[in-house]
Amino acid sequence: MPRTFNITTTASDILKADAKGHAEAVFTVTNTTARPVRGMGRAVALESTKKEWLQISGESDRDFSAGGTQQYVVTFDAPVATAAPSGPSAPAAADKYSFRLDVASARNPDEDFTEGPPVRVELPVVKPAPPPKPFPKWILIPIAAVVLIGIVVGLYFVFRKTNVSVPNVVGMTLEQAKSTLSEAKLTPVEQEVQITQSAPPGQVIAQDPKPDSSPVPKSTEVKLTIEGEIPPVEVPDVTKRLIDDAKQRLAEKGLDIVEKSTDVTPDLQPNQVASQDPAAGTKVHLPATVTLTVAVQRQIEVPNVVFKPLAVAVNELKAAGLNPVQKDPELASAEIAPGNVKRQNPEAKTKVPPGSTIELVLAAQPTEVPRVVGLRIAQAQVALQQQGLDLGIVSGTVNQNNATLVIINSQDPREGSRVARGARVNVSVPSACPFRICNPIDTVDIGIIKKLNPEIRQPLIQRRAIP
């Protein structure tokens, strides 16, 4: 069976991987069909290539439009050997490795898939780095001396003053933090208030010095940052306002909105706010939500009347408060009886306002188109009317002089076609009046004129003054 995809690549020559074993190949994938499809791309390792070396950049499963093209980039990353490889876990040797891109149809991946052209990658051999020079051990002696001096100096200051550890007061209330710091012989200081919404109001959210710092002298100030409280917001009155205006006013206050609906009443117009909760003037703490009940035009779900007789369909639609309108019938499949509803517009379950028009197209009584080629126009009219059809457009040269004599030379629909009763059949006559066929109106037989269709006969009668 024909394949859905065609795959090409610009990597026709051997790709040279960089020093880290990385290379990329671009594949162009084309949907060869006239319909949109979803393709599933897969990078396939060949020969000694390992699957974990390959990866597709971006989404591997993609949607293709009819005749559309997508580009897949397949990356190749292999560990590079720095010397002759040995052992089971050795890196990739300097060699050529192969892979390709396969794309399958998501609808039928087991049978409808395309294999892309193979791509070969050559890995370089990276020379091993020279061994590091040995660390000079003599330098440890002055380092040790400096460290020892630092320890001695630190001990001197530790024992010179009496220091205390800083307790952790983050997460405590301000009063608890003050009490804890005072017991530790430290001085609590309320430095600032911040609103982060990450802790309850009044709770300590930061301190300086931090609890993991070195011991500090007694009476050291510990600066505290306290979580502040967001001031409450007064809910504005948005009743009787249009919903867009109401939303804007509430959003300016930082309030969230939830919408509910109710039917339109005489004192409300569509999209007007009927009520709100919380009520206007209520003070709330953010984040808070205001529920708006909005007046909307009542919607009716269109019932499904397809396949039903016209009378039944009309009754159901009228009972639902809708206005059924019958359109020209159409031919339908054998499962729909003539006179039953073939299709409806809008479709079933569509929601529309009360009184909306629902168009009904009935299944037509089929009839067969007769042959009218070779007949005159009046004869064609009779033949068509016998089959329940009407004469449509007459193309060519037709006038009062030749209307009874000109011969039809083509018809549409053609003879034997099955169409709906009441349909029109278009015909054509010669575009110029043949010499021996078109006679002046004065030579036309009166008996022939009287047999013509009234639409053709009346002008001729007036011209000839036929009683």
Side-chain angles (χ1 to χ4, degrees):
M1 70 182 248
R3 300 298 182 187
T4 297
F5 300 99
N6 180 53
I7 305 175
T8 60
T9 181
T10 58
S12 55
D13 297 328
I14 296 176
L15 296 178
K16 300 290 187 179
D18 58 19
K20 296 182 180 180
H22 175 80
E24 294 183 354
V26 179
F27 293 84
T28 300
V29 182
T30 302
N31 174 14
T32 62
T33 68
R35 67 182 189 280
V37 295
R38 184 167 180 81
M40 302 187 301
R42 299 292 184 269
V44 180
L46 303 175
E47 301 176 355
S48 57
T49 304
K50 296 183 180 180
K51 183 178 181 181
E52 57 266 26
W53 295 352
L54 304 175
Q55 186 173 1
I56 295 176
S57 299
E59 297 290 336
S60 58
D61 295 355
R62 304 181 185 179
D63 293 319
F64 289 76
S65 60
T69 298
Q70 296 265 9
Q71 281 195 337
Y72 284 77
V73 177
V74 179
T75 60
F76 174 95
D77 293 280
V80 179
T82 59
S86 61
S89 61
D95 199 350
K96 296 181 179 64
Y97 296 86
S98 301
F99 65 89
R100 69 170 187 260
L101 175 71
D102 290 354
V103 180
S105 168
R107 183 183 295 273
N108 187 12
D110 294 332
E111 297 182 9
D112 186 3
F113 64 92
T114 302
E115 296 180 354
V119 174
R120 295 176 65 81
V121 180
E122 183 176 4
L123 291 179
V125 173
V126 180
K127 295 181 180 180
K133 295 182 180 180
F135 181 81
K137 297 181 180 179
W138 60 267
I139 203 172
L140 296 176
I141 297 175
I143 293 175
V146 172
V147 172
L148 181 61
I149 293 172
I151 294 174
V152 172
V153 173
L155 291 174
Y156 170 78
F157 284 103
V158 169
F159 289 102
R160 184 181 176 185
K161 293 184 178 181
T162 303
N163 294 345
V164 294
S165 297
V166 180
N168 184 9
V169 296
V170 174
M172 297 182 181
T173 64
L174 178 59
E175 295 303 322
Q176 292 172 337
K178 287 181 176 180
S179 175
T180 301
L181 293 173
S182 297
E183 291 177 358
K185 308 301 181 184
L186 297 171
T187 303
V189 176
E190 188 176 348
Q191 183 183 26
E192 63 176 329
V193 176
Q194 295 182 359
I195 298 176
T196 65
Q197 299 185 18
S198 61
Q203 183 173 298
V204 177
I205 57 175
Q207 68 179 80
D208 183 27
K210 296 182 178 180
D212 55 356
S213 60
S214 301
V216 297
K218 292 181 179 180
S219 301
T220 297
E221 291 186 349
V222 179
K223 299 176 181 180
L224 304 177
T225 302
I226 312 303
E227 177 71 24
E229 182 177 6
I230 302 176
V233 174
E234 183 174 325
V235 179
D237 185 5
V238 294
T239 56
K240 303 298 183 181
R241 294 187 177 274
L242 294 178
I243 182 61
D244 290 341
D245 181 35
K247 284 183 176 180
Q248 182 177 354
R249 290 173 179 269
L250 294 174
E252 290 173 352
K253 296 289 186 178
L255 297 167
D256 297 325
I257 300 102
V258 172
E259 288 186 50
K260 296 169 59 178
S261 62
T262 185
D263 290 343
V264 172
T265 58
D267 61 331
L268 293 172
Q269 61 177 332
N271 297 323
Q272 194 174 25
V273 176
S275 63
Q276 66 180 81
D277 183 27
T282 304
K283 292 186 177 182
V284 296
H285 290 280
L286 298 179
T289 300
V290 178
T291 301
L292 301 180
T293 302
V294 184
V296 296
Q297 179 68 50
R298 184 169 64 91
Q299 300 288 296
I300 298 175
E301 185 175 287
V302 178
N304 186 5
V305 295
V306 175
F307 301 132
K308 295 183 180 181
L310 176 61
V312 175
V314 168
N315 289 338
E316 289 189 11
L317 293 173
K318 287 184 176 180
L322 302 172
N323 179 32
V325 174
Q326 184 178 348
K327 307 298 286 185
D328 291 340
E330 298 176 355
L331 285 181
S333 58
E335 62 182 354
I336 306 178
N340 286 8
V341 178
K342 174 187 176 182
R343 59 185 176 87
Q344 65 183 82
N345 182 37
E347 297 179 350
K349 296 187 178 181
T350 304
K351 291 188 176 181
V352 297
S356 296
T357 297
I358 309 299
E359 297 178 347
L360 302 179
V361 177
L362 304 183
Q365 180 73 35
T367 187
E368 187 172 301
V369 178
R371 176 181 176 83
V372 296
V373 174
L375 301 180
R376 293 180 173 85
I377 293 176
Q379 295 171 328
Q381 284 182 314
V382 174
L384 293 171
Q385 290 173 3
Q386 290 175 347
Q387 293 297 114
L389 302 171
D390 293 325
L391 180 64
I393 298 173
V394 180
S395 303
T397 303
V398 182
N399 52 46
Q400 294 179 350
N401 292 341
N402 67 354
T404 61
L405 301 174
V406 69
I407 302 298
I408 296 173
N409 58 13
S410 68
Q411 67 180 82
D412 180 32
R414 63 186 180 181
E415 173 190 1
S417 302
R418 291 182 63 81
V419 298
R421 292 184 68 87
R424 294 179 178 271
V425 177
N426 300 324
V427 300
S428 63
V429 299
S431 57
C433 187
F435 177 75
R436 293 188 177 181
I437 296 178
C438 299
N439 297 322
I441 188 64
D442 294 336
T443 65
V444 178
D445 183 70
I446 296 176
I448 294 177
I449 293 178
K450 289 184 176 182
K451 294 179 180 179
L452 294 178
N453 183 284
E455 297 178 356
I456 301 175
R457 182 179 65 204
Q458 189 61 31
L460 301 181
I461 291 174
Q462 293 174 355
R463 183 166 179 177
R464 290 289 302 275
I466 299 172

